[in-house]
Amino acid sequence: MKYSRHEAKDYAREHMQGIWAAALNPFNADLSLNEVGLRSNIRHWIDDLAIQGLFIAGKQGEFFSMSLEERKRNFEIAVDECGSKAGTIMSVSDQNFNTVLELAKHAENCGADYIVVHAPVLSFVQDKGEVLYQYFKALCDQLNIGIAMWSHPDSGYLMQPEECARIAELPNIVAIKYSVPREMYVRLSHMVGDKIHVSTASEDEWLDNIEELNWKLYLCSSPPYQLQTRNDRRMHDYTQLAFQGKFDEARTLRDSLNPVREAIASSRPADKPQAFGKYWQELLGQVGGPVRHPMLNLTETEKATIREAFEGCGLKL
């Protein structure tokens, strides 16, 4: 560990900044984890795209289809490849508390920078706030690593800003990935923005949140390596302009990516986000591959539609 439990907040405020991307996991044709392909992708994301941190084994990475040992191996590969060049945040999410704890301790032991834990599915619960507080407190009491909360609709509810603010007082809570309507994350930012990072996965709102909320962290989804190439780093560049306070220049550059965003939105099949992302990666020269059940792979017709949209989007390869 690079910090103690009580240093976690300060460490994250200083080091957990910039664009952090959620990694898709490449699988081989036999659906085994493609370790060589994953390493190649990570090197490209860090060395060519200047991505500053990686979110590993999350929903984009199909963690729900992976064994415990595969998830641990996923952590180890990411730490090894990122080294001192980029940060790592490991998704240790699971409904079973002991599984969360086992993965979290492995993340600590293998050198990860942070972990992220999604809000659990809660059945027959009325006072969710107290349940959630005690859940995250139990993790904080047993771990030293910095913890990011993660609230999203898949849990069946959204953590309320007041609930998040209470949890944010715990010593090693350092961030939240808050997949909620903007009004909710704006309110939380005003409540705890001096204590923890508040972020959301929407690239469309990233520039506005830098300007209006003084956000320093994009945490995180796949746009950082879907909207960019070695020769076309407009997301990185508009982010740097925004951090320098050059918002008009940043907005012009951000808006120039609209044809790419539209190509993605118009060609992405419903209910196939990971399969689409992996195929788009392949068109960009990255390593993709199939998805595992329960996710669905693309049809040849869907691939043809995506290729046509990609070829006209204007990204410089």
Side-chain angles (χ1 to χ4, degrees):
M1 292 293 301
K2 301 168 185 174
Y3 51 85
S4 70
R5 177 185 306 170
H6 292 281
E7 295 169 333
K9 278 182 167 60
D10 289 338
Y11 185 88
R13 293 302 296 177
E14 181 178 354
H15 297 281
M16 196 180 191
Q17 296 190 6
I19 294 173
W20 288 49
L24 288 157
N25 271 323
F27 297 132
N28 294 305
D30 64 358
L31 297 183
S32 60
L33 181 63
N34 184 343
E35 295 191 8
V36 173
L38 177 59
R39 288 179 182 276
S40 174
N41 284 346
I42 291 173
R43 291 265 52 82
H44 169 63
W45 297 337
I46 296 172
D47 298 340
D48 299 330
L49 305 185
I51 291 172
Q52 291 175 270
L54 296 179
F55 185 117
I56 298 298
K59 290 192 294 181
Q60 294 281 356
E62 301 176 70
F63 83 89
F64 43 78
S65 73
M66 299 173 72
S67 70
L68 203 57
E69 290 309 311
E70 284 179 315
R71 292 175 72 180
K72 291 179 180 179
R73 182 60 180 156
N74 208 180
F75 296 178
E76 294 164 1
I77 292 169
V79 168
D80 185 43
E81 286 298 329
C82 287
S84 61
K85 291 186 175 182
T88 54
I89 182 166
M90 310 306 190
S91 172
V92 302
S93 300
D94 196 86
Q95 272 300 106
N96 183 287
F97 183 83
N98 288 334
T99 297
V100 174
L101 200 58
E102 181 177 345
L103 287 168
K105 289 182 176 179
H106 187 76
E108 282 187 340
N109 292 335
C110 76
D113 292 296
Y114 316 97
I115 60 170
V116 60
V117 183
H118 71 51
V121 175
L122 298 177
S123 303
F124 314 118
V125 171
Q126 298 299 315
D127 185 2
K128 291 184 175 66
E130 182 62 22
V131 174
L132 290 167
Y133 180 79
Q134 295 300 332
Y135 176 78
F136 280 99
K137 184 178 185 301
L139 290 171
C140 287
D141 287 347
Q142 298 183 64
L143 299 168
N144 293 307
I145 197 167
I147 301 170
M149 298 175 277
W150 185 10
S151 179
H152 52 71
D154 292 358
S155 296
Y157 62 92
L158 296 176
M159 294 172 65
Q160 295 302 301
E162 293 76 15
E163 296 166 346
C164 299
R166 182 186 179 200
I167 295 168
E169 297 293 333
L170 295 167
N172 44 330
I173 298 292
V174 300
I176 181 170
K177 183 179 179 182
Y178 207 25
S179 305
V180 300
R182 193 167 194 270
E183 182 276 331
M184 290 179 68
Y185 71 66
V186 168
R187 187 148 54 98
L188 182 59
S189 293
H190 292 317
M191 295 168 71
V192 301
D194 60 337
K195 295 184 180 73
I196 68 171
H197 288 291
V198 179
S199 188
T200 195
S202 173
E203 185 270 332
D204 291 344
E205 300 168 17
W206 170 227
L207 175 55
D208 293 337
N209 292 333
I210 298 173
E211 182 174 13
E212 297 171 19
L213 301 174
N214 196 34
W215 280 13
K216 302 297 184 185
L217 173 67
Y218 177 82
L219 184 74
C220 54
S221 191
S222 51
Y225 54 83
Q226 291 180 339
L227 297 177
Q228 303 191 100
T229 72
R230 178 184 292 107
N231 299 312
D232 193 343
R233 304 197 310 183
R234 277 176 279 176
M235 184 179 177
H236 170 274
D237 293 344
Y238 85 65
T239 296
Q240 294 305 309
L241 287 168
F243 283 163
Q244 297 164 25
K246 300 176 181 178
F247 295 110
D248 289 341
E249 292 178 56
R251 190 160 285 105
T252 297
L253 194 57
R254 179 199 65 181
D255 291 350
S256 74
L257 280 167
N258 282 341
V260 187
R261 297 185 187 96
E262 291 164 6
I264 290 173
S266 66
S267 64
R268 181 172 50 213
D271 302 321
K272 296 184 178 181
Q274 290 92 342
F276 170 85
K278 291 183 181 187
Y279 187 58
W280 191 270
Q281 282 184 277
E282 292 175 9
L283 295 173
L284 286 166
Q286 300 172 36
V287 182
V291 297
R292 289 177 174 178
H293 290 301
M295 307 313 295
L296 299 174
N297 282 298
L298 299 173
T299 66
E300 291 305 316
T301 299
E302 288 168 338
K303 288 182 178 181
T305 299
I306 296 165
R307 280 197 306 274
E308 182 178 358
F310 176 82
E311 289 166 0
C313 75
L315 273 175
K316 302 172 185 175
L317 296 179

